[in-house]
Amino acid sequence: MNTPLISIIINNHNYGSYLGEAIESVLEQTCPAAEVIVVDDGSTDDSREVMARFGDKIIPVFQANMGQITAVNAGLQNSRGDIFCLLDADDVFLPEKLASIQELFRTVFPLDR
């Protein structure tokens, strides 16, 4: 049985002081995500610098401040996963979150890849 791809979309607006920890919580999962998309919704703090520290480990998306729903939609438009997980920039994932989701998804919705 093939493994479904997981896309994590982190939406951010002026949460540079938390953003690094949110990104790290995704990158340190026991089951790695297929892609980590970080959408910056017109931040005026150090969010861009925080995002730059992660280099090619994330897919950065920048837009003018248009609100959280628009930021999430921008992340979805730039993703290619079978499973989508949302994470606010001021929150973190527990280390086993993606493994649990992937196993449940694989059990309930087997993929023909």
Side-chain angles (χ1 to χ4, degrees):
M1 186 176 300
N2 292 315
T3 304
L5 297 176
I6 301 176
S7 296
I8 308 303
I9 299 168
I10 301 174
N11 65 86
N12 176 67
H13 177 74
N14 287 336
Y15 279 129
S17 59
Y18 303 102
L19 182 58
E21 188 177 359
I23 294 170
E24 288 170 4
S25 78
V26 175
L27 296 176
E28 295 172 355
Q29 290 290 300
T30 59
C31 164
E35 57 188 1
V36 182
I37 301 162
V38 182
V39 182
D40 185 74
D41 189 40
S43 293
T44 57
D45 64 358
D46 66 339
S47 293
R48 284 183 180 248
E49 290 82 9
V50 172
M51 291 168 69
R53 289 194 326 237
F54 292 93
D56 64 357
K57 294 178 182 175
I58 66 168
I59 299 168
V61 177
F62 300 100
Q63 66 179 32
N65 182 240
M66 295 186 277
Q68 185 175 27
I69 295 298
T70 304
V72 169
N73 284 335
L76 289 170
Q77 290 172 351
N78 285 279
S79 62
R80 57 184 175 79
D82 301 305
I83 302 170
F84 303 97
C85 295
L86 305 179
L87 178 62
D88 290 336
D90 63 340
D91 208 346
V92 295
F93 281 171
L94 294 174
E96 299 283 330
K97 179 180 177 88
L98 299 184
S100 297
I101 290 171
Q102 192 173 64
E103 184 57 33
L104 178 63
F105 192 89
R106 189 179 7 224
T107 302
V108 177
F109 304 106
L111 296 176
D112 296 326
R113 287 187 181 247

